[in-house]
């Protein structure tokens, strides 16, 4: 049997100058992407406030929280550390409550914390560049691979 080679070819960028120029562009210049992102986050928040949130809605809010945390770790919005922490705690408490109630039901304080978190996320999106977003995604993926993230409980019986 033949030994497998360790060599793995790397991807090649065909337009390196275009890639560099695009990475220097602010995310706010991509109105359609930013608008879609804000709508998606807002829909998840509205579903949560109505009491009809599903796992995919919570996944959207968790992803938003992860990006806020990654951008905070990279130095964007450092002065709003308490907003990021309160929002993350609100999401964790909602999910832990859903284990017993089988529904995602927030309290008034948790709704306020999530609204502040969403406002921080929108403000961060207005000031970062595409390169910063790539770095934040890489940071979040590194945290996931190295198992430095909070493990959420299994949700049985909760609507998907």
């Amino acid at each position: 049997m033949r030994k497998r080679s360790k060599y793995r070819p790397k991807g090649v960028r065909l337009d390196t100058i275009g890639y560099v120029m695009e990475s220097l562009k602010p995310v706010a210049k991509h109105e359609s992407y930013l608008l879609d992102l804000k709508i998606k986050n807002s829909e998840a928040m509205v579903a949560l406030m109505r009491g009809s949130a599903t796992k995919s809605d919570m996944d959207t809010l968790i992803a938003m929280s992860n990006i806020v945390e990654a951008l905070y770790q990279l130095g964007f919005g450092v002065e709003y550390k308490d907003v990021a922490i309160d929002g993350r705690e609100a999401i964790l408490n909602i999910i832990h409550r859903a284990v017993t109630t089988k529904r995602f039901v927030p309290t008034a304080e948790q709704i306020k914390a999530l609204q502040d978190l969403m406002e921080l996320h929108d403000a961060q999106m207005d000031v970062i560049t595409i390169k910063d977003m790539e770095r934040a995604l890489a940071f979040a993926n590194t945290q996931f691979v190295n198992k430095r993230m909070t493990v959420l409980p299994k949700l049985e019986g909760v609507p998907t």
Side-chain angles (χ1 to χ4, degrees):
M1 189 153 164
R2 197 174 117 171
K3 183 182 171 202
R4 290 188 58 187
S5 173
K6 291 183 181 181
Y7 172 73
R8 298 284 182 260
K10 296 193 181 202
V12 177
R13 293 202 193 280
L14 298 176
D15 185 14
T16 55
I17 299 296
Y19 173 74
V20 170
M21 295 302 288
E22 187 70 21
S23 68
L24 296 175
K25 192 186 252 188
V27 173
K29 295 282 185 181
H30 296 274
E31 288 99 10
S32 63
Y33 168 75
L34 197 55
L35 185 63
D36 290 345
L37 182 65
K38 288 180 181 182
I39 288 172
K40 186 177 174 184
N41 291 341
S42 296
E43 285 177 345
M45 187 67 181
V46 167
L48 181 66
M49 291 191 308
R50 285 186 182 159
S52 61
T54 62
K55 287 180 185 177
S56 63
D57 292 327
M58 291 307 295
D59 286 342
T60 300
L61 294 175
I62 290 168
M64 177 189 66
S65 175
N66 290 342
I67 292 300
V68 167
E69 178 72 21
L71 288 170
Y72 157 72
Q73 294 290 336
L74 295 174
F76 296 95
V78 176
E79 58 274 7
Y80 299 105
K81 175 182 180 181
D82 55 339
V83 172
I85 292 172
D86 292 344
R88 183 172 284 292
E89 286 178 0
I91 290 173
L92 289 174
N93 290 336
I94 291 168
I95 290 173
H96 284 292
R97 189 177 315 112
V99 170
T100 57
T101 63
K102 308 295 185 221
R103 290 179 50 215
F104 298 108
V105 183
T107 64
E109 296 86 25
Q110 291 168 344
I111 290 173
K112 176 68 174 131
L114 288 174
Q115 287 172 339
D116 291 344
L117 182 70
M118 190 174 294
E119 187 177 327
L120 176 59
H121 179 263
D122 292 345
Q124 286 175 331
M125 290 296 122
D126 289 338
V127 298
I128 66 170
T129 63
I130 300 294
K131 184 68 171 176
D132 297 328
M133 184 60 136
E134 288 176 355
R135 286 178 42 219
L137 290 170
F139 179 82
N141 286 335
T142 302
Q143 296 293 343
F144 180 76
V145 167
N146 293 332
K147 298 184 176 161
R148 288 189 222 139
M149 70 293 197
T150 304
V151 178
L152 299 175
K154 297 277 186 199
L155 296 173
E156 302 295 328
V158 179
T160 55

